[in-house]
Amino acid sequence: MRILFFGAPGSGKGTQSKRIGKLFGLPHLSTGDMLREAKKNATPVGLEAAKYMDQGQLVPDEVMTGLIQERIGQKDCAEGFILDGFPRTLVQGQTLEEMFHSLKADLDRVIYLVIPVESVVLRLVGRRVCSQCGEEFHLDYKKPKQAGICDRCGGRLIQRPDDQEEKIRTRLRAYEIQTSPLIDFYEQRKLLKRIEATGEIEEITQKIQKALE
Ligand code: AMP
């Protein structure tokens, strides 16, 4: 199964795609996580990407397509995978199609998580992530047991630089202008499945699971 998760920043793509990956036993490929890891390790890609990410802008297509092509080609992706955060532009969508074509594979489903803009800002401003393991928390909806400390590994919780309100607005603009044309792109290919993504995490996971059955 090759499944793509799509939606505005803060729609819950990361949380839901990770849960579905675990349930279906598929590798979870998040371009945001890959870039943050590359940035942490100060690789050439990471340093280049950081200039855009920290401002809330999209990283150039050629950097992204190289990254995802390399990852999809790895052995653990042979039986399928979950894509989270790619494609984010029409150029990336077209390149992905070409990649699938050369792998003689198909994309099975695009899960589009729909959420009102005002909820997005609230979700992102309150989000905190573990500086060590990347686990996500929220100041209101998913509080850690001890303030500022990760429940899973004891690491320090931080706010992502691009989760500051001004950067969130830049990200939402980038989504509207550069990413949202992909809704039509996948609708035309009859792959898009809309899921209302407000409510409890578990409830949304169940809706997605049902849509994939
Ligand atoms: P995310 O964790 O998916 O919210 O991604 C965080 C940031 O990484 C985005 O705001 C972009 O700067 C960058 N990024 C992740 N995926 C892509 C992509 N497919 N194309 C361009 N930039 C991306």
Side-chain angles (χ1 to χ4, degrees), residues 9-208:
S11 58
K13 287 190 306 295
T15 304
Q16 293 299 338
S17 56
K18 268 183 210 142
R19 289 170 71 95
I20 294 292
K22 269 201 193 119
L23 282 169
F24 285 67
L26 293 171
H28 169 249
L29 277 45
S30 153
T31 44
D33 286 352
M34 288 179 206
L35 292 174
R36 279 184 288 277
E37 188 61 25
K39 182 183 161 189
K40 209 159 106 184
N41 297 329
T43 67
V45 166
L47 295 175
E48 172 69 8
K51 293 188 232 160
Y52 301 91
M53 291 169 80
D54 292 350
Q55 299 307 316
Q57 294 163 0
L58 292 187
V59 175
D61 288 333
E62 55 280 12
V63 177
M64 297 314 302
T65 49
L67 198 72
I68 206 74
Q69 188 151 28
E70 211 258 336
R71 183 66 187 90
I72 286 179
Q74 288 173 14
K75 231 161 96 191
D76 63 331
C77 291
E79 298 302 317
F81 47 81
I82 308 255
L83 271 179
D84 162 17
F86 186 95
R88 260 179 157 106
T89 64
L90 277 177
V91 170
Q92 292 179 16
Q94 274 146 1
T95 310
L96 184 66
E97 239 175 31
E98 286 158 22
M99 285 181 213
F100 276 126
H101 193 71
S102 61
L103 289 170
K104 296 191 174 32
D106 286 315
L107 182 61
D108 294 298
R109 186 67 95 213
V110 177
I111 298 292
Y112 170 28
L113 300 179
V114 185
I115 174 177
V117 174
E118 55 274 25
S119 314
V120 160
V121 178
L122 285 178
R123 277 190 188 186
L124 293 178
V125 169
R127 174 161 71 178
R128 295 293 180 272
V129 293
C130 176
S131 53
Q132 280 179 30
C133 73
E135 181 81 358
E136 287 193 9
F137 296 86
H138 194 281
L139 296 181
D140 300 314
Y141 314 128
K142 193 186 166 198
K143 293 181 186 174
K145 291 194 185 95
Q146 196 184 338
I149 306 289
C150 175
D151 291 354
R152 195 162 83 176
C153 76
R156 196 168 56 87
L157 300 186
I158 55 163
Q159 185 178 40
R160 270 171 49 172
D162 57 347
D163 276 347
Q164 287 153 13
E165 200 160 337
E166 185 202 322
K167 308 287 163 54
I168 294 173
R169 300 209 182 278
T170 310
R171 286 161 70 196
L172 287 173
R173 261 199 311 277
Y175 173 77
E176 276 312 315
I177 297 167
Q178 294 168 276
T179 309
S180 67
L182 284 163
I183 299 171
D184 273 354
F185 181 85
Y186 286 119
E187 200 136 51
Q188 281 163 17
R189 285 156 179 75
K190 306 210 181 319
L191 291 171
L192 201 74
K193 185 80 196 164
R194 283 167 205 265
I195 304 280
E196 293 301 326
T198 35
E200 292 295 317
I201 293 177
E202 176 57 32
E203 198 186 304
I204 300 166
T205 307
Q206 284 176 14
K207 280 199 258 180
I208 299 171

